Amino acid sequence: MSEKLLFPSDEWVNEYCKRLKESSDYNKAGKGWKEPIIFRMTEIENLKQKPPFDSFILYLSDGICEKCSVVTDPNMEAPYKLTATYSNWKKIIDGKINPTQAMLTGQMKVEGNVAHLLRYASAAIAMVKVAQSIPTQYLE
Amino acid sequence: MSIFQFPRKIIFQRDILEDITPTLKDEKISSILVITDKIVRGKVEKKLSSVLKNFDVIVYDDVNPEPEIKQIEEVSKSLRSNVDAIMAMGGGSVIDFAKSVLIKMTYPDKDLRDVNPFEKLDFRIKLIAVPTTSGTGSDASFGIVLTDGDRKLALANYNLVPEIVILDSSVTPDSAKIISATGVDALVHSFEAIASNTSTILTDALAEKSIEIIFHNLEKSIKGNEESRDLMHLSATMAGIAFSNSGTALAHALGHSFGSTFHIVHGISVGLFLTHTIEFNSRDEAIKSKYEKIARMLGFSDISSLIEGIIFLYRKIGQPVRIRELGIQERDLNAKMEELVSKAMMDSEIAFNPVIAGEDDLRKIFTDAF
């Protein structure tokens, strides 16, 4: 795949879920995790281009992404929610900040059972590596 | 952005404990809860009596190795909480116990299992650490390791870094077994701080120097060399600052799991897996370069020689190289394998390992380490 996918977009999220399924690193590190996660972007009003949505959800189970979708209902709940500014999501995907560090410094806010989440921090690293493998175009 | 957390003050001098009163008075401390164990109390009581008579002091000396959450919960309810400072005097278990008591005194309803690095804990009471081993690095770190039933919990919060650390190597033990196990712990901390996926040049600088000092001084420290003991004491704290600001990694995840399953002392346990994790992590080119740099610093030609050098050091200081040397049978290791792997996979330290390890990787390492 040489064509860049816009982040965020339906295509990007679907590609992400597909690549997570295929990632042996994520398959290994995500084993035992059985909860969906909402990924939310904030401060998108500062962007010149408006994104098609500000949240998406991944249904993860035992190292596999079973399905994904855009979150259209702002009141939708999930056991875990990761929130960061669009700019910080870009830094995480680009590898400029480590997701564990992002959580520790408050650049990424975590909602959910933090003690449980921390045990899967290596899965978070694997997820970032997968995200980095997607040729991505960002909004300005 | 990285945030580095250090103790606010580190005082390093042999025999400084006898003269610590002005330092404590400057900190506006008038009442102290001293947390220690019976062995340390017996060793330092005379040395400290002239100091502690200047303060309103309560002493709790019933800390056991590998502190249990249940004991901490019970004890915290009975201890007086209106003190200015908690002084933790002892090894890692004592310091971790004291950190936990500090949490429970300040937040009586908080479950220790929920302690995590993302929340702010506000302590009115100052935490002073006087490590008597060299060492777990708990005196300078944000971590606590507690026993919860049959598992080890590695917990962390940045507000748990002790404010004041007093490094007086005159209170460190003469026992070769203790010096060896705690020295190996400090060595593993240093290697893991370097390998960690959140390492920085600051943590690398501290960790590299610690490795150099430990390699050249651990054996001499066991033989009673005072200067070596002084250097080991400071380098253990440096290693603690390094790993506190970068994380430990796979050797600790494996060591916690193995130690809690077979009841093996922490330093010995993590030491068993150091060379295996160096090999495993060398798949990552960046980490391989770091290990090669360490090898050259120590006078070895490559990573294989570095590993041989570590094993040679282990032999000199009495650290077991293989699991079988602990008297554990292969069938017993195999019988516990799934439990070992499961615990290690759930250990938060595994998140900092530069190479992602799955269950099969862990099984292989546990087997190879036999």
Side-chain angles (χ1 to χ4, degrees):
Chain A
M1 166 185 287
S2 54
E3 189 191 317
K4 289 186 179 183
L5 300 179
L6 183 70
F7 177 80
S9 64
D10 277 313
E11 292 79 13
W12 194 97
V13 175
N14 287 326
E15 183 64 22
Y16 188 37
C17 188
K18 174 174 164 286
R19 290 193 186 208
L20 281 172
K21 228 182 294 200
E22 294 163 357
S23 160
S24 59
D25 274 352
Y26 180 67
N27 297 153
K28 277 195 290 192
K31 205 165 171 200
W33 180 273
K34 294 180 196 302
E35 309 278 14
I37 305 177
I38 289 178
F39 297 79
R40 196 168 153 260
M41 287 149 266
T42 59
E43 293 184 17
I44 50 177
E45 59 280 354
N46 301 334
L47 299 168
K48 286 185 195 155
Q49 297 164 267
K50 193 171 159 33
F53 52 84
D54 69 5
S55 307
F56 61 90
I57 183 167
L58 298 179
Y59 294 87
L60 306 168
S61 182
D62 275 329
I64 302 285
C65 178
E66 292 182 329
K67 61 178 180 166
C68 57
S69 65
V70 168
V71 173
T72 50
D73 176 1
N75 298 316
M76 183 181 195
E77 288 298 330
Y80 293 87
K81 204 186 282 186
L82 304 177
T83 304
T85 63
Y86 185 85
S87 157
N88 282 340
W89 278 119
K90 182 172 183 290
K91 284 181 193 169
I92 291 167
I93 295 169
D94 283 350
K96 292 203 170 65
I97 44 175
N98 176 295
T100 315
Q101 262 185 332
M103 287 191 261
L104 293 174
T105 56
Q107 289 167 298
M108 179 161 62
K109 304 268 186 290
V110 176
E111 289 170 62
N113 183 333
V114 167
H116 183 65
L117 189 75
L118 269 177
R119 290 189 202 124
Y120 288 91
S122 53
I125 307 276
M127 289 176 79
V128 169
K129 284 193 176 161
V130 170
Q132 285 171 347
S133 73
I134 302 172
T136 301
Q137 186 185 331
Y138 295 98
L139 298 166
E140 288 175 34
Chain B
M1 171 177 80
S2 293
I3 298 179
F4 302 105
Q5 203 101 0
F6 302 89
R8 183 167 53 78
K9 191 179 278 191
I10 298 175
I11 302 164
F12 167 58
Q13 186 185 296
R14 182 169 273 272
D15 297 316
I16 191 63
L17 270 173
E18 296 158 2
D19 296 316
I20 210 66
T21 300
T23 299
L24 297 178
K25 292 283 187 196
D26 280 347
E27 296 287 332
K28 310 274 186 280
I29 291 169
S30 56
S31 54
I32 307 174
L33 165 62
V34 176
I35 293 181
T36 185
D37 62 42
K38 295 196 187 325
I39 294 171
V40 170
R41 185 175 187 175
K43 190 168 177 168
V44 307
E45 199 153 26
K46 207 172 157 191
K47 190 186 264 273
L48 276 187
S49 57
S50 59
V51 170
L52 295 180
K53 70 175 193 254
N54 300 310
F55 301 92
D56 172 15
V57 173
I58 322 150
V59 179
Y60 177 81
D61 66 358
D62 209 12
V63 179
N64 297 317
E66 324 289 320
E68 290 257 0
I69 284 185
K70 222 169 139 190
Q71 183 198 6
I72 295 164
E73 302 264 354
E74 281 162 16
V75 163
S76 300
K77 290 177 198 159
S78 62
L79 292 172
R80 198 182 104 194
S81 62
N82 59 339
V83 291
D84 298 323
I86 292 176
M87 182 183 279
M89 198 173 303
S93 296
V94 165
I95 298 172
D96 288 354
F97 190 100
K99 288 178 181 176
S100 306
V101 164
L102 175 62
I103 296 170
K104 291 301 297 185
M105 276 185 172
T106 314
Y107 300 95
D109 296 329
K110 186 165 187 61
D111 188 336
L112 288 170
R113 297 167 189 86
D114 292 338
V115 169
N116 67 78
F118 309 133
E119 59 182 349
K120 176 134 176 59
L121 297 174
D122 239 319
F123 299 122
R124 180 191 58 78
I125 303 170
K126 288 187 196 209
L127 182 59
I128 303 168
V130 185
T132 59
T133 59
S134 315
T136 62
S138 189
D139 49 295
S141 88
F142 72 155
I144 325 178
V145 178
L146 300 177
T147 302
D148 186 14
D150 66 349
R151 63 182 185 138
K152 281 270 168 79
L153 283 181
L155 307 166
N157 182 282
Y158 287 105
N159 302 114
L160 290 173
V161 176
E163 267 197 71
I164 300 167
V165 178
I166 301 169
L167 299 178
D168 179 347
S169 49
S170 73
V171 298
T172 56
D174 296 316
S175 156
K177 264 173 81 171
I178 296 175
I179 297 174
S180 169
T182 52
V184 167
D185 194 14
L187 184 69
V188 179
H189 287 152
S190 305
F191 269 99
E192 298 235 283
I194 282 169
S196 167
N197 56 29
T198 51
S199 65
T200 59
I201 54 173
L202 187 150
T203 56
D204 283 352
L206 287 165
E208 283 171 17
K209 193 66 185 172
S210 294
I211 289 173
E212 187 185 1
I213 292 170
I214 294 166
F215 236 82
H216 293 131
N217 288 279
L218 181 48
E219 190 190 1
K220 287 192 268 185
S221 183
I222 289 171
K223 290 177 176 166
N225 183 299
E226 261 189 23
E227 191 188 343
S228 289
R229 287 197 181 174
D230 294 347
L231 291 171
M232 280 296 304
H233 210 42
L234 182 54
S235 69
T237 296
M238 287 162 62
I241 294 171
F243 86 72
S244 189
N245 289 286
S246 71
T248 53
L250 186 57
H252 270 73
L254 294 161
H256 286 154
S257 169
F258 184 78
S260 68
T261 305
F262 287 99
H263 310 290
I264 303 297
V265 158
H266 175 75
I268 292 175
S269 195
V270 297
L272 284 167
F273 303 105
L274 176 61
T275 56
H276 299 277
T277 55
I278 289 173
E279 258 189 66
F280 181 77
N281 290 337
S282 293
R283 299 174 191 193
D284 180 298
E285 284 301 318
I287 301 305
K288 188 175 167 212
S289 296
K290 283 185 160 188
Y291 288 144
E292 284 167 345
K293 184 184 175 197
I294 300 290
R296 286 191 300 273
M297 178 185 78
L298 296 174
F300 300 113
S301 53
D302 53 25
I303 293 173
S304 296
S305 308
L306 169 65
I307 288 174
E308 281 173 22
I310 293 170
I311 291 171
F312 187 61
L313 174 66
Y314 280 8
R315 291 276 177 240
K316 284 197 285 184
I317 63 171
Q319 158 72 19
V321 173
R322 296 187 160 281
I323 289 173
R324 67 181 69 177
E325 293 167 33
L326 295 167
I328 294 169
Q329 303 295 313
E330 194 169 18
R331 62 172 181 271
D332 296 326
L333 179 72
N334 290 335
K336 294 281 189 185
M337 186 60 74
E338 293 318 301
E339 181 184 340
L340 287 169
V341 167
S342 167
K343 280 182 185 173
M345 285 297 291
M346 290 292 110
D347 193 299
S348 54
E349 305 294 349
I350 206 172
F352 297 100
N353 204 61
V355 178
I356 290 175
E359 290 179 353
D360 287 343
D361 299 311
L362 302 191
R363 256 181 227 107
K364 184 172 186 309
I365 294 175
F366 278 123
T367 304
D368 289 347
F370 182 76

